[in-house]
Amino acid sequence: MAKNKKLSTLTLEELFAEKKKRQVILMGLGIAMLTACGIFVFLAIKNKNYALIVIASGCLITLQPLISNLNQVKKEIQKREQK
């Protein structure tokens, strides 16, 4: 298991690689989450169990930490490029 380094200790090339890795992870999980939410909504309508719609909308909030981490990497890259 690789150690987590602070973003400030990474080189610019490593930051770009980290950004790309986090984008791929976010895209993959985002697509999977949207698919699951679509299934929840379909099942809620089909079974008339509308509580599943609330669960489906709440599931999308779980992506927020990943989006936040990606934004931190982008800010660090911008800070380095300004120097």
Side-chain angles (χ1 to χ4, degrees):
M1 185 174 191
K3 288 185 176 180
N4 286 338
K5 294 183 179 178
K6 285 190 173 184
L7 293 177
S8 59
T9 62
L10 297 176
T11 64
L12 196 57
E13 293 81 21
E14 289 173 332
L15 284 173
F16 280 118
E18 188 71 23
K19 176 184 170 188
K20 184 171 181 140
K21 181 179 80 169
R22 290 182 187 199
Q23 282 178 334
V24 168
I25 290 170
L26 184 62
M27 287 279 261
L29 289 175
I31 290 170
M33 192 67 70
L34 284 175
T35 303
C37 289
I39 292 170
F40 278 145
V41 170
F42 172 75
L43 289 174
I45 293 170
K46 183 179 177 187
N47 296 332
K48 296 183 180 170
N49 184 4
Y50 299 109
L52 289 176
I53 294 175
V54 175
I55 294 171
S57 62
C59 288
L60 294 175
I61 296 172
T62 61
L63 295 176
Q64 184 61 36
L66 292 174
I67 294 169
S68 173
N69 287 338
L70 181 60
N71 287 335
Q72 287 176 351
V73 173
K74 287 180 181 179
K75 285 180 185 177
E76 185 67 30
I77 289 172
Q78 287 177 351
K79 188 168 75 171
R80 298 265 182 97
E81 289 178 338
Q82 287 177 354
K83 290 182 180 180

